[in-house]
Amino acid sequence: MIKHMVPGKWDLEVDLVAVGSSAGGLTAAIMARDRGMSAVVLEKGGVLGGGTAYSGGAIWIPLSHHMSEVGCKDTRDGVLRYVRKLSMGHHDEAILATYLDTGAVVVKYLEEHTPLRMCVEEDSSGTEYCADVPGGVPLGRKLWPDAKVMPGVLDEAEKKYPLIAKVAKDPVRYLIGPRPPWVQGRALIGGLVLGCAQRGIEVLTETPGKQLIVDNGRVIGIRAQRDGRDFFVKANKGVLLATGGFEWNEAMNKRFIYSPPLHAYTCPTNEGDGHIMGMELGAAVALMDHSIFQPGLGMPTDIVGHNQHLHRPFIYGYPGMIMVNRDGKRCCDECFYPDMGRAFLEYDRLRGGFKNWPIFSVCDQGFRDMFPFAGLKRGGTDVNDLVKKGDTPRALAEAIGVSGDNLVETIERFNRFAKEGKDPDFHRGESMYDLRWAEAIFPNRGSMAVLGPLEKAPFYAVELSLTTAGNLGGLVINPNAQVIDVRGEVIPGLYGTSNTTAMLPLGHHYDSGAAQGKSMIFGYIAANHMAATHAKQE
């Protein structure tokens, strides 16, 4: 373990230091105060919430009281079967058990002691990714901030607490258009920030953590930076690393991620700061190649932070749209973004490169009549610097540089499948998730809600980027949220949560909301462990 010089003077002294204003960092600060401890949250950026504020705000919490409220049934054994089937053997049984046994407790506690209110999302967004797998459920495990309650609560809170206004806003228009200000990820973070504000917990923005300070083998504080100088914070009971993933760190992506160039649409401050600080002390890491891979768009105008290019998700999985690879052939189920992400990673050893990349989204005018496309408004026939156009599939193939014969054959084949209502190539529209995907827009149409031919000229295409909603590899923790070193020993005084820690509850599986659920659960556990441990010592 590397030893760092203890400063002669501390700028701030508290019991718990949460490094990062993730859902887990904020939850830990709330719990610390409720357990009689002092706490501070250090945030690298000028706004709060990291990638969570940009997100849909889901948390994956099996067995919560909200499931029974809407008639959803679940069992602990069912969840275990589900994860064990999907994790590819890379989950940790003890961490998974802790997740399952604590998640519902965390939700109930926060709803009883903070303004945050959650609910089951009963539309297609609430469907579990692999609900057809044994142990999966169609609805109930994914919770969202209650859109009937949170906007009003947070609108009023903004008038009283200036801190609320620091919750990060959407930096670009995602998908179909702008979101209301206090829903989804902003509502989740907003509810927790309001809980901190009501308790008088100090949240310091533009204060990045730089280096952990160790004395006699124990983490006792952190060297941060504030106003251009070192800012030393003493942690009497523990430091919690909750700085998010490392997807904006190009060097770490190249070192750990096997993929074409990877881009992100999370908060640009997610540069692996917590990973680096932990690894500097010999912390073990796991699942560093694991990421929420999905296709996205790099719009030229989407510049954020220090001239950083934010990528955005794109609209997929509706009738009149397919994805084709560099050969002009389909390569995935276009309704299921994890399958789309996998398509980017597939390797061709004979050609010595990624089999499918570059990948293009292809649609017809019928699709454009219903949806915006790559920054273009619905209903038009115009193009921009990203979008290519052809009066026929063959002309479009020439415009994007793929085989005309292949693209013509691909579209004809897909059109035949679409009319028959079956996709034998990639099974689009067969899973429970696929069937519910477009239900809100095309109710009662079964597989035809997602299958529809490309027939109306002209035809359009845009090249897609491989993006991520967060890298999921990170520091290894034990069930107490304590970071362990490469020999399996606890690093005293150091705790971890958020995407700073590895996705050990699910291994190489991911379900929407699992990252934020893990973050909140182990933030809660970390604060309680610090309080209990030091109560015994006293």
Side-chain angles (χ1 to χ4, degrees):
M1 182 183 290
I2 299 173
K3 293 185 178 181
H4 304 284
M5 184 176 294
V6 177
K9 179 183 177 183
W10 298 95
D11 295 288
L12 181 64
E13 182 175 345
V14 293
D15 293 321
L16 181 151
V17 179
V19 190
S21 62
S22 68
L26 297 168
T27 298
I30 289 168
M31 287 308 305
R33 181 58 58 90
D34 290 0
R35 292 296 303 270
M37 298 187 292
S38 57
V40 67
V41 179
L42 307 182
E43 168 54 45
K44 178 179 182 178
V47 293
L48 305 176
T52 299
Y54 291 7
S55 76
I59 55 175
W60 188 77
I61 305 290
L63 308 169
S64 79
H65 63 283
H66 288 297
M67 294 189 72
S68 58
E69 290 173 355
V70 295
C72 294
K73 296 181 180 180
D74 201 3
T75 66
R76 192 175 188 277
D77 286 344
V79 185
L80 291 173
R81 286 198 306 275
Y82 180 77
V83 173
R84 289 167 180 165
K85 180 68 174 178
L86 296 167
S87 76
M88 297 173 66
H90 290 155
H91 74 285
D92 182 292
E93 282 284 335
I95 296 292
L96 171 59
T98 301
Y99 189 113
L100 296 183
D101 295 339
T102 313
V105 175
V106 173
V107 171
K108 197 167 187 63
Y109 183 91
L110 290 173
E111 290 188 323
E112 290 176 351
H113 295 87
T114 78
L116 183 65
R117 297 294 181 270
M118 306 297 291
C119 66
V120 171
E121 187 69 31
E122 296 187 71
D123 67 15
S124 59
S125 301
T127 305
E128 203 157 48
Y129 284 173
C130 300
D132 306 274
V133 167
V137 297
L139 285 174
R141 289 176 183 166
K142 284 197 276 188
L143 305 179
W144 271 261
D146 193 331
K148 296 177 182 177
V149 176
M150 296 309 299
V153 169
L154 293 170
D155 276 338
E156 285 300 310
E158 261 191 295
K159 301 172 186 177
K160 183 176 181 181
Y161 298 102
L163 187 65
I164 305 301
K166 290 191 175 184
V167 177
K169 298 178 174 65
D170 290 345
V172 300
R173 288 167 59 99
Y174 285 146
L175 298 177
I176 293 176
R179 295 185 291 182
W182 289 117
V183 297
Q184 300 179 342
R186 287 199 84 227
L188 180 65
I189 292 297
L192 295 172
V193 169
L194 179 53
C196 289
Q198 291 173 337
R199 289 164 172 78
I201 295 168
E202 194 168 20
V203 180
L204 302 178
T205 55
E206 299 182 314
T207 309
K210 293 294 183 180
Q211 199 170 42
L212 296 165
I213 298 171
V214 179
D215 187 35
N216 292 323
R218 179 182 180 82
V219 174
I220 63 166
I222 188 168
R223 176 177 69 84
Q225 285 188 340
R226 186 166 175 79
D227 299 325
R229 66 173 184 85
D230 283 342
F231 184 76
F232 295 98
V233 185
K234 190 172 189 295
N236 292 325
K237 298 185 178 180
V239 172
L240 174 70
L241 297 176
T243 60
F246 62 87
E247 56 274 3
W248 284 88
N249 187 318
E250 185 177 359
M252 290 182 71
N253 282 338
K254 287 182 176 180
R255 191 176 303 150
F256 294 112
I257 302 290
Y258 161 82
S259 75
L262 183 63
H263 308 279
Y265 61 89
T266 61
C267 181
T269 54
N270 285 6
E271 297 178 300
D273 296 353
H275 296 71
I276 292 167
M277 286 187 280
M279 288 189 288
E280 191 174 27
L281 301 189
V285 295
L287 301 175
M288 294 295 281
D289 61 339
H290 192 15
S291 189
I292 311 173
F293 294 119
Q294 51 193 286
L297 294 171
M299 305 295 291
T301 56
D302 292 350
I303 304 299
V304 296
H306 300 290
N307 201 33
Q308 293 159 300
H309 192 186
L310 185 77
H311 282 60
R312 64 170 81 179
F314 83 109
I315 297 169
Y316 58 84
Y318 295 118
M321 170 268 166
I322 59 174
M323 286 169 57
V324 302
N325 64 14
R326 62 178 180 169
D327 295 319
K329 297 180 179 181
R330 285 182 69 214
C331 52
C332 60
D333 171 1
E334 296 94 345
C335 279
F336 190 49
Y337 83 75
D339 197 40
M340 300 182 229
R342 174 207 54 77
F344 279 88
L345 309 183
E346 192 171 349
Y347 188 75
D348 184 341
R349 68 177 182 84
L350 296 179
R351 290 197 285 189
F354 291 102
K355 178 179 179 179
N356 297 311
W357 181 63
I359 295 176
F360 302 87
S361 172
V362 174
C363 71
D364 70 347
Q365 186 62 45
F367 180 91
R368 282 206 59 190
D369 288 343
M370 294 196 66
F371 300 103
F373 185 67
L376 301 171
K377 293 181 179 180
R378 74 185 75 195
T381 60
D382 55 326
V383 296
N384 56 26
D385 291 341
L386 296 179
V387 176
K388 305 300 181 184
K389 178 179 177 181
D391 290 332
T392 65
R394 190 172 296 278
L396 181 64
E398 183 177 353
I400 62 175
V402 304
S403 165
D405 289 343
N406 284 350
L407 187 59
V408 168
E409 193 277 334
T410 292
I411 291 177
E412 289 177 350
R413 182 178 177 85
F414 180 77
N415 287 352
R416 185 169 67 253
F417 293 163
K419 292 172 182 177
E420 294 170 353
K422 282 284 186 180
D423 173 21
D425 287 347
F426 295 99
H427 308 287
R428 175 171 163 179
E430 293 182 22
S431 71
M432 196 179 302
Y433 182 90
D434 283 11
L435 287 170
R436 290 182 61 87
W437 172 253
E439 189 176 84
I441 297 175
F442 305 109
N444 304 315
R445 287 182 58 180
S447 63
M448 298 307 294
V450 296
L451 288 172
L454 286 72
E455 294 180 318
K456 185 177 180 180
F459 300 87
Y460 304 89
V462 63
E463 183 176 341
L464 301 172
S465 303
L466 178 61
T467 66
T468 179
N471 288 345
L472 298 174
L475 308 180
V476 178
I477 58 173
N478 66 15
N480 296 321
Q482 295 169 288
V483 177
I484 64 173
D485 67 19
V486 293
R487 295 186 181 274
E489 300 295 328
V490 166
I491 300 176
L494 186 60
Y495 295 77
T497 193
S498 82
N499 278 351
T500 309
T501 61
M503 183 49 73
L504 291 173
L506 301 187
H508 259 290
H509 175 59
Y510 181 73
D511 249 292
S512 178
Q516 282 138 202
K518 172 171 69 75
S519 185
M520 294 168 70
I521 289 167
F522 287 96
Y524 173 95
I525 288 171
N528 279 295
H529 187 263
M530 291 183 207
T533 300
H534 288 270
K536 291 179 182 178
Q537 293 175 352
E538 293 170 1

